[in-house]
Amino acid sequence: MRYSTQVKPISYLKANAAEVLTHIAEQREPLVITQNGEAKAVLQDVASYEETQETLALLKLLAMGNQDVAAGRLKPASEVIARLRAKRNSR
């Protein structure tokens, strides 16, 4: 997707807020808002925002896992599985 096709000045947003929100929700494409000719904000629908946040959280977990591997903080899978089974059986 090319963001250059989804650029509107803040005056357009002010004059057409309801239409803009409907369009963003239906198309699920972000809208870049400009002020004085410069990009100042990005407006997106809530579902897309939530998906982005979930994706970022997963990427952060992967990065943390890679850091653990690089630092040698590893345990054999059999040890982890045994610990989880013991924990489940102790309930």
Side-chain angles (χ1 to χ4, degrees), residues 65-86:
N66 285 338
Q67 290 172 350
D68 285 344
V69 169
R73 293 186 295 264
L74 303 170
K75 293 188 185 214
S78 59
E79 183 182 318
V80 174
I81 291 169
R83 190 182 76 201
L84 291 172
R85 285 184 177 149

Side-chain angles (χ1 to χ4, degrees), residues 4-80:
S4 60
T5 63
Q6 296 293 344
V7 178
K8 298 288 182 193
I10 195 165
S11 58
Y12 180 85
L13 176 61
K14 289 178 184 178
N16 303 287
E19 291 173 31
V20 167
L21 291 177
T22 300
H23 179 76
I24 288 172
E26 290 174 355
Q27 300 301 312
R28 298 200 61 187
E29 293 179 350
L31 179 67
V32 177
I33 304 299
T34 62
Q35 187 175 34
N36 299 323
E38 292 183 29
K40 294 291 182 175
V42 176
L43 189 61
Q44 71 180 136
D45 65 285
V46 173
S48 294
Y49 175 79
E50 289 173 341
E51 287 175 8
T52 300
Q53 294 305 305
E54 290 172 5
T55 300
L56 289 173
L58 289 172
L59 289 172
K60 185 173 184 176
L61 288 173
L62 286 172
M64 291 167 59
N66 285 338
Q67 290 172 350
D68 285 344
V69 169
R73 293 186 295 264
L74 303 170
K75 293 188 185 214
S78 59
E79 183 182 318
V80 174

